[in-house]
Amino acid sequence: MNTIQYLEDQAARAERLAKRITDTLTIEKLLAFADERRREIEVIAGQYRRAQPS
């Protein structure tokens, strides 16, 4: 599993868990965690695109 796949998996897991619980603070933290992972994916993907020759 590469880094992007791992981060996508982590974000998806956090989002699924957030749907199953009722504690508002925990939901917010899980969704923030998922957002952070998705931002990391964007950074990594952007670096990968810049490194590719045109």
Side-chain angles (χ1 to χ4, degrees), residues 27-49:
I27 291 170
E28 290 173 0
K29 288 184 179 187
L30 285 166
L31 293 177
F33 176 82
D35 287 341
E36 288 173 18
R37 299 295 79 81
R38 297 207 186 278
R39 280 192 295 275
E40 286 182 60
I41 291 167
E42 288 299 317
V43 168
I44 292 169
Q47 291 172 349
Y48 178 75
R49 282 190 289 267

Side-chain angles (χ1 to χ4, degrees), residues 3-51:
T3 303
I4 290 176
Q5 289 170 329
Y6 175 76
L7 292 171
E8 287 176 348
D9 183 55
Q10 293 295 302
R13 286 180 182 203
E15 290 164 345
R16 283 193 306 270
L17 183 56
K19 291 178 183 178
R20 295 183 179 154
I21 60 174
T22 58
D23 178 50
T24 304
L25 180 58
T26 304
I27 291 170
E28 290 173 0
K29 288 184 179 187
L30 285 166
L31 293 177
F33 176 82
D35 287 341
E36 288 173 18
R37 299 295 79 81
R38 297 207 186 278
R39 280 192 295 275
E40 286 182 60
I41 291 167
E42 288 299 317
V43 168
I44 292 169
Q47 291 172 349
Y48 178 75
R49 282 190 289 267
R50 284 192 295 274

